[in-house]
Amino acid sequence: VQLQASGGGLVQSGGSLRLSCTSSDLNMDTYSTTWFRQAPGKEREAIGCIAKSDDRIEVEDSLKGRFIVFRDNVENTVYLQMNNLKPEDTGIYSCAADRFHLCTVRGARESDMDYWGKGTQVTVSS
């Protein structure tokens, strides 16, 4: 089973990117999906998620208003829309699917994730 994360790239400060997380093996709406970010020299952290059951969304407090998570069930894809990007948003972004737990950013545990996608690099230039 694989998740595919894509959509990263190089963007100027103030720009936008939309990351995608999809799978040909999983029905994404039966999994809670969490986006993680690992900035250079820092630990990976959860930044946003969408719940499997009720589409409830959580976004890390400092990113609210700029980042949003949503799912397109027709496309079987979870998206991370990132607006007004800043150089400090630079990092490797990964998605992970969790079969049993609901969406939580603060309490997200990597050990709860059942499947991971390979990271996609986001670089924001100043």
Side-chain angles (χ1 to χ4, degrees), residues 56-97:
R56 182 176 57 85
I57 297 167
E58 279 195 21
V59 175
E60 202 277 327
D61 286 346
S62 67
L63 302 177
K64 288 179 180 177
R66 295 196 299 122
F67 286 23
I68 189 167
V69 182
F70 63 98
R71 180 169 54 227
D72 184 327
N73 291 335
V74 174
E75 297 294 328
N76 196 41
T77 301
V78 173
Y79 297 95
L80 175 66
Q81 177 68 42
M82 306 185 293
N83 300 321
N84 191 21
L85 283 162
K86 303 176 181 181
E88 52 263 40
D89 295 319
T90 293
I92 299 173
Y93 288 70
S94 306
C95 61

Side-chain angles (χ1 to χ4, degrees), residues 1 10 15 23 66 81 103 117:
V1 174
L10 174 63
S23 174
R66 295 196 299 122
Q81 177 68 42
C103 163

Side-chain angles (χ1 to χ4, degrees), residues 38-58:
Q38 186 167 23
K42 295 186 178 181
E43 293 188 354
R44 186 162 57 186
E45 61 177 347
I47 59 170
C49 62
I50 184 167
K52 63 176 182 176
S53 57
D54 58 5
D55 287 355
R56 182 176 57 85
I57 297 167
E58 279 195 21

Side-chain angles (χ1 to χ4, degrees), residues 3 9 11 39 41-42 97 99 112 116-117 119:
L3 295 180
V11 64
K42 295 186 178 181
R99 183 72 176 91
D112 286 340
W116 287 83

